[in-house]
Amino acid sequence: MTKTILRALAGETLPTPPIWMMRQAGRYLPEYRATRAQAGDFLSLCYTPDLAAEVTLQPIRRYGFDAAILFADILLVPQALGADLWFVTGEGPRLSTITDAAGVAALKPVDAIHETLSPVYETLRILSRELPRETTLIGFAGAPWTVATYMVAGRGTKDQGPAHAMKAADRAAFSALIDRITDATIEYLSAQIDAGAEVVKLFDSWAGSLKGQDFDDFALAPATRIIAALKARHPGIPVIAFPREAGPRYEGFARATGADAVAIDNSVDAAWAAAHVQRDGCVQGNLDPRHMVTGGAELVSETRRIVEAFRGGPHIFNLGHGITPDADPDHVALMIETVRKG
Ligand code: CP3
């Protein structure tokens, strides 16, 4: 009996959509906060395989999600390429910055990444032993554009201004940065698959700020290259792409990149996505994460509306973006019950 997530990714329309949740291991869960305190800080949690596996398993034990997503972070790849990385409590990530061709040239070669990232592979090996047999194990990486926005700015930004500025000032140097991240991402995801990941997901959280030719060059082209390389090395491993806030560019994204599924953020209307995106294959999404904070009748009616909208094709139920730390764990249980019992 094939796992439900893999059946949906293969294009099967199921009577009840399988379900998991972005950031399902996170600060809204008391057991996550306890293990994170034991680790000391967020990066130590990412790099300690026993603890990273433990937090990955916590939401599976509590809720019985159909998939577990590796606990790690998209910014481990820049660190593996030689950037300094640290997290400021209450503020978010900080990195050393890259602003020109010399900065790109100074990055470590792609072969060197496994030295830093090998604990992540160990986490996946533990998880493939310990997960329930029906639960799918998802690995992930940031998409090159999103990772580059952090490497150039040295932090999260509202409009990705520094990355857009570098792209405008020296497109060749910026393209070289994207290429280096693309090559590293292929090796990283390939090693995750060797370690037990059954599906991989590419998070392009800032895809929405790329327009026109820039979207083609820095969102579509790198995803296409990563997916083609993974499919050549690991036939049959499905890939989920998440070009967040791509809006109309969601249409045709799976066809252009070879992705098996597209994750839809909550700014997109589910009925539109069913008509324009789901006709190319599986979609994932797209409940607004704020319902995990507010709960109640609106959570139930919005969950039902999304299940209904995507009922005619392959669908994996999920949020449109990660669950937030102020969410109520009981609201997550209500969402799951609504999806599974109607
Ligand atoms: O989905 C999952 O549960 C898997 C684990 C995961 C994390 N981050 C854990 C995490 C995944 C897939 C990510 C992806 C990620 N990380 C993205 C892309 C997806 C998205 O949300 O848009 C981005 C942009 C990052 C970078 C990042 N990591 C930021 C901006 C922050 C700080 C913001 C925050 O919520 O504090 C992080 C930290 C982070 N990554 C946390 C978690 C659980 C919180 C850390 C903590 O415990 O303090």
Side-chain angles (χ1 to χ4, degrees):
M1 191 198 66
T2 312
K3 301 178 183 190
T4 50
I5 297 264
L6 298 177
R7 289 169 63 187
L9 288 168
E12 198 176 325
T13 304
L14 298 165
T16 300
I19 179 166
W20 69 281
M21 195 171 68
M22 283 187 259
R23 289 275 173 101
Q24 62 192 19
R27 285 165 293 183
Y28 75 104
L29 288 179
E31 58 268 37
Y32 170 86
R33 296 195 297 269
T35 308
R36 190 184 181 290
Q38 194 188 337
D41 61 81
F42 174 66
L43 282 175
S44 304
L45 180 53
C46 292
Y47 286 122
T48 308
D50 286 337
L51 298 182
E54 166 58 24
V55 295
T56 306
L57 290 165
Q58 286 168 350
I60 307 305
R61 287 191 205 113
R62 187 189 266 258
Y63 299 114
F65 283 114
D66 295 296
I69 183 159
L70 164 72
F71 190 83
D73 197 83
I74 66 164
L75 300 178
L76 304 186
V77 166
Q79 189 177 39
L81 285 170
D84 295 328
L85 171 68
W86 66 104
F87 280 81
V88 180
T89 309
E91 290 187 33
R94 294 289 182 275
L95 300 91
S96 47
T97 59
I98 291 182
T99 50
D100 55 17
V104 180
L107 289 170
K108 288 187 192 172
V110 167
D111 293 350
I113 64 169
H114 303 305
E115 211 176 299
T116 302
L117 297 171
S118 60
V120 175
Y121 313 144
E122 181 57 22
T123 303
L124 287 162
R125 283 192 285 269
I126 296 170
L127 288 167
S128 39
R129 289 196 300 269
E130 297 199 355
L131 276 173
R133 54 160 24 112
E134 66 275 12
T135 315
T136 301
L137 179 54
I138 303 177
F140 73 91
W145 160 252
T146 288
V147 171
T149 66
Y150 288 92
M151 293 177 82
V152 174
R155 58 193 300 160
T157 48
K158 279 204 162 58
D159 60 359
Q160 298 74 59
H164 285 290
M166 181 178 170
K167 170 162 64 62
D170 189 345
R171 199 168 177 99
F174 187 74
S175 297
L177 176 59
I178 292 287
D179 283 345
R180 184 72 67 95
I181 301 167
T182 301
D183 290 336
T185 303
I186 290 166
E187 298 310 318
Y188 182 43
L189 290 176
S190 189
Q192 289 189 28
I193 294 165
D194 287 337
E198 300 171 279
V199 173
V200 294
K201 177 168 172 185
L202 267 180
F203 283 86
D204 212 348
S205 304
W206 301 119
S209 79
L210 291 170
K211 304 295 174 200
Q213 189 65 39
D214 282 348
F215 189 90
D216 293 341
D217 292 351
F218 301 121
L220 277 185
T224 305
R225 189 150 81 78
I226 291 165
I227 293 168
L230 293 175
K231 297 271 177 195
R233 287 192 211 176
H234 310 275
I237 295 286
V239 181
I240 304 171
F242 182 34
R244 192 170 73 91
E245 297 196 346
R249 302 297 310 257
Y250 269 117
E251 188 166 6
F253 197 90
R255 245 178 301 145
T257 60
D260 299 270
V262 175
I264 313 275
D265 70 77
N266 47 276
S267 72
V268 176
D269 177 59
W272 179 86
H276 296 268
V277 188
Q278 197 183 30
R279 60 162 198 211
D280 289 337
C282 187
V283 292
Q284 179 181 282
N286 72 337
L287 185 68
D288 191 328
R290 85 182 159 81
H291 294 296
M292 298 301 102
V293 181
T294 54
E298 210 193 341
L299 158 59
V300 173
S301 61
E302 281 299 286
T303 299
R304 286 186 181 143
R305 185 180 63 77
I306 288 164
V307 170
E308 211 40 59
F310 291 124
R311 197 180 282 293
H315 176 214
I316 297 169
F317 193 90
N318 205 307
L319 305 180
H321 199 196
I323 188 169
T324 51
D326 54 345
D328 182 336
D330 290 341
H331 297 159
V332 176
L334 177 60
M335 169 185 73
I336 295 169
E337 190 188 301
T338 306
V339 172
R340 291 191 174 152
K341 297 194 184 134

